[in-house]
Amino acid sequence: MGNDKKLFYHVWFATKNRKWLLLAEIDEKVKEFISQVASEKHIDLLACETMVNHIHLLLRVAPGDLPKAMFLLKGISSRRIFQAFPELKLDARTIGFWQARYAFKIIPDNALKSVKSYIATQKERPDKFES
């Protein structure tokens, strides 16, 4: 993507209607597809982990390139997910896999290690989903 000075972004976004779709085989395929798209589109993906209804990414992109990167990552991965799991579109009762929006924080260099750790340990904090 662009040649401007790149920044680190912690980005997160949810499945459509926050449905619990990121389970078992789908969870693994989603991470595989996100990684593939990042590689194909020359997006620096430094970390990626899911929870049952959302995903966290650590990206390194030029400031003006974040919207385009997110459009590509979410759009292409959604299409690939539904191609790999055609029944999911009916089961999930949705035409899109991801919500339209995403949130992000710019990460300073000195916080990279802690953000990577936070992303990598998502599944160690399931208490936020227990009732």
Side-chain angles (χ1 to χ4, degrees), residues 3 11 78 88 102:
N3 293 328
V11 183
S78 181
L88 189 60
Y102 61 90

Side-chain angles (χ1 to χ4, degrees), residues 26-113:
I26 295 169
D27 175 49
E28 292 306 313
K29 278 294 188 188
V30 163
K31 289 186 277 191
E32 181 182 317
F33 292 148
I34 291 282
S35 180
Q36 287 173 354
V37 174
S39 177
E40 292 164 8
K41 300 301 179 183
H42 309 288
I43 299 166
D44 293 335
L45 174 66
L46 306 174
C48 174
E49 188 54 85
T50 59
M51 282 300 286
V52 293
N53 65 356
H54 67 278
I55 188 167
H56 290 262
L57 307 176
L58 181 59
L59 303 175
R60 184 173 174 263
V61 298
D65 288 344
L66 184 62
K68 181 179 179 184
M70 294 310 300
F71 175 80
L72 293 169
L73 288 167
K74 291 172 69 181
I76 297 171
S77 68
S78 181
R79 203 166 45 250
R80 290 181 183 177
I81 291 161
F82 285 142
Q83 287 171 345
F85 303 97
E87 71 285 356
L88 189 60
K89 199 178 273 194
L90 288 175
D91 293 346
R93 294 189 181 105
T94 182
I95 58 169
F97 191 81
W98 303 114
Q99 284 187 354
R101 297 184 178 174
Y102 61 90
F104 68 90
K105 285 185 182 179
I106 297 173
I107 305 302
D109 294 356
N110 64 354
L112 278 177
K113 186 176 179 182

